[in-house]
């Protein structure tokens, strides 16, 4: 517990010394500090943190203390997401990452309360966690958001119609095209995944699993070995050549877009890419 006198001492720099150069209060258990005192102490500790070199013992002490002082803030934000079904401890851990980012990015000169700055950071980190881990397959964010909208619309219309609404009824209700609604319904199937080992017919033990009756060898597997062989070859290329490959094949930019970004003509970009790919192909054939 921090007394009013202790808080005043913290503001004026009077208290138990952390080092010989600075005086800050030493807290036996920062997680038990009252919320009001935690806000005051956070301001003092944040002010000192900005003057320290990262990685020093004092920097680590103050940063860790700030995290513990504000864990109640993480739990407060985490309770908003309790209905998502995940373990609360997992949500708190993710929210703590947001708190740490808020501490590292906070700027006292903005004259904004740390809690005002930290809450969106914590909530954003938790939302990002659900967005990145809640889907069994990658689905564009637009369709992820549409899934939520459709789920609400289905519940609302079902109460009015006394039956599940059709895609056409959902489209009219939401002011969307029927095609957009169908895309959202298909995307919803990517939220969860079933095991391929589930029996095709649960009532027939001899029916076998889905995996036994469907699928085959993916022809793309033949390219895995080539990709493994290409990796060290690409690492030997110059910085500009690696940049060209990344822009063309990872970022999927057109040759014209690459030329515009690098100040080159589309024809020049085409020649450079052709030369790079010829070299890589030649190395692959030599190593085969």
């Amino acid at each position: 517990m921090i007394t009013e006198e202790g808080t005043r001492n913290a503001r004026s720099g009077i208290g138990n010394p952390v080092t010989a150069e600075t005086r800050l209060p030493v807290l036996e258990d920062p997680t038990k500090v009252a919320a009001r005192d935690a806000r005051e102490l956070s301001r003092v500790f944040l002010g000192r943190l900005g003057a320290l070199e990262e990685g020093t013992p004092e920097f680590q002490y103050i940063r860790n203390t700030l995290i513990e002082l504000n864990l109640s803030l993480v739990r407060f934000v985490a309770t908003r997401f309790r209905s998502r079904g995940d373990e609360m401890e997992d949500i708190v851990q993710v929210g703590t990452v947001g708190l740490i980012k808020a501490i590292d990015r906070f700027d006292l000169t903005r004259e904004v309360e740390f809690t005002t700055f930290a809450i969106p950071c914590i909530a954003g980190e938790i939302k990002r966690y659900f967005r990145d881990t809640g889907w069994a397959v990658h689905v564009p964010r637009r369709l992820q958001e549409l899934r939520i909208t459709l789920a609400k619309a289905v519940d609302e219309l079902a109460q009015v119609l006394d039956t599940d609404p059709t895609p056409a009824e959902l489209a009219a209700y939401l002011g969307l095209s029927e095609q957009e609604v169908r895309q959202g319904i298909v995307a919803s199937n990517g939220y969860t995944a079933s095991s391929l080992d589930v029996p095709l017919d649960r009532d027939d033990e001899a029916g076998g699993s889905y995996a036994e009756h469907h699928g085959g060898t993916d022809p793309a597997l033949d390219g895995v070995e080539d990709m493994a062989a290409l990796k060290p070859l690409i690492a030997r290329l110059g910085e500009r050549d690696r940049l060209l490959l990344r822009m063309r094949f990872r970022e999927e930019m057109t040759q014209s877009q690459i030329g515009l970004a690098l100040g080159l003509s589309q024809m020049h970009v085409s020649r450079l890419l052709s030369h790079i790919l010829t070299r890589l192909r030649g190395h692959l054939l030599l190593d085969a």
Side-chain angles (χ1 to χ4, degrees), residues 6 14 24 30 33 56 66 77 86 89 107 114 125 142 164 170 201 209 234 237 245 249 271-272 281 287-288:
I14 301 172
L24 288 172
V33 175
T56 61
L66 280 165
V77 177
D86 289 60
E89 191 59 35
D107 184 356
F114 176 69
E125 196 68 29
R142 174 182 64 85
D164 289 338
L170 285 168
D201 187 346
S209 67
I234 293 174
L237 295 175
L245 290 176
F249 298 105
R271 286 198 297 266
L272 289 172
R281 191 178 298 112
D287 293 341

Side-chain angles (χ1 to χ4, degrees), residues 3-285:
T3 63
E4 185 176 349
E5 180 183 358
T7 304
R8 286 199 302 270
N9 288 344
R11 290 199 200 103
S12 59
I14 301 172
N16 297 323
V18 176
T19 68
E21 292 78 17
T22 184
R23 291 177 180 272
L24 288 172
V26 176
L27 310 176
E28 291 184 4
D29 189 351
T31 61
K32 294 183 179 179
V33 175
R36 180 180 175 182
D37 291 336
R39 286 196 297 271
E40 294 293 329
L41 287 169
S42 291
R43 187 180 297 112
V44 175
F45 276 75
L46 283 163
R48 180 58 188 158
L49 188 71
L52 295 173
E53 182 179 350
E54 186 174 351
T56 61
E58 187 178 353
F59 179 95
Q60 290 302 120
Y61 163 74
I62 294 177
R63 188 169 181 257
N64 292 339
T65 302
L66 280 165
I67 294 169
E68 293 181 275
L69 274 173
N70 291 280
L71 279 177
S72 59
L73 201 61
V74 176
R75 294 190 182 92
F76 167 74
V77 177
T79 55
R80 301 181 186 178
F81 302 88
R82 184 180 295 162
S83 61
R84 298 298 293 265
D86 289 60
E87 291 288 338
M88 179 55 64
E89 191 59 35
D90 292 339
I91 300 175
V92 169
Q93 287 182 9
V94 174
T96 303
V97 174
L99 171 63
I100 294 170
K101 291 181 178 179
I103 292 171
D104 292 341
R105 298 171 183 171
F106 186 68
D107 184 356
L108 279 171
T109 61
R110 295 179 180 176
E111 297 184 354
V112 176
E113 282 286 342
F114 176 69
T115 53
T116 304
F117 177 80
I119 286 176
C121 293
I122 296 167
E125 196 68 29
I126 295 173
K127 288 177 182 177
R128 188 157 40 247
Y129 164 76
F130 283 122
R131 187 176 66 240
D132 294 343
T133 63
W135 291 79
V137 296
H138 176 71
V139 174
R141 189 178 304 176
R142 174 182 64 85
L143 294 178
Q144 293 183 25
E145 293 170 352
L146 179 57
R147 168 189 170 272
I148 299 172
T149 303
L150 284 172
K152 293 179 180 177
V154 167
D155 289 341
E156 293 167 1
L157 279 177
Q159 293 179 5
V160 175
L161 302 173
D162 201 25
T163 185
D164 289 338
T166 65
E169 289 168 335
L170 285 168
Y173 183 73
L174 295 172
L176 301 173
S177 69
E178 191 170 340
Q179 182 181 3
E180 288 176 304
V181 170
R182 291 186 183 278
Q183 285 180 339
I185 294 172
V186 171
S188 298
N189 295 331
Y191 192 69
T192 56
S194 298
S195 171
L196 292 176
D197 295 323
V198 173
L200 286 174
D201 187 346
R202 294 182 182 274
D203 297 327
D204 182 6
E205 295 182 1
S209 67
Y210 186 91
E212 293 173 357
H213 295 274
H214 295 79
T217 303
D218 188 344
L221 288 174
D222 294 336
V224 173
E225 186 176 345
D226 290 340
M227 290 298 297
L230 272 174
K231 192 172 181 179
L233 298 177
I234 293 174
R236 297 177 201 165
L237 295 175
E239 183 177 350
R240 187 189 67 173
D241 290 349
R242 293 198 304 273
L243 175 61
L244 283 167
L245 290 176
R246 183 170 67 250
M247 295 173 78
R248 180 68 185 93
F249 298 105
R250 181 180 295 178
E251 301 176 13
E252 298 183 349
M253 297 172 64
T254 65
Q255 293 180 0
S256 298
Q257 290 171 331
I258 296 172
L260 188 63
L262 300 181
L264 304 173
S265 68
Q266 182 271 329
M267 187 63 70
H268 191 188
V269 172
S270 177
R271 286 198 297 266
L272 289 172
L273 285 170
S274 178
H275 178 66
I276 296 169
L277 295 176
T278 300
R279 285 174 55 197
L280 292 174
R281 191 178 298 112
H283 284 301
L284 280 177
L285 292 174

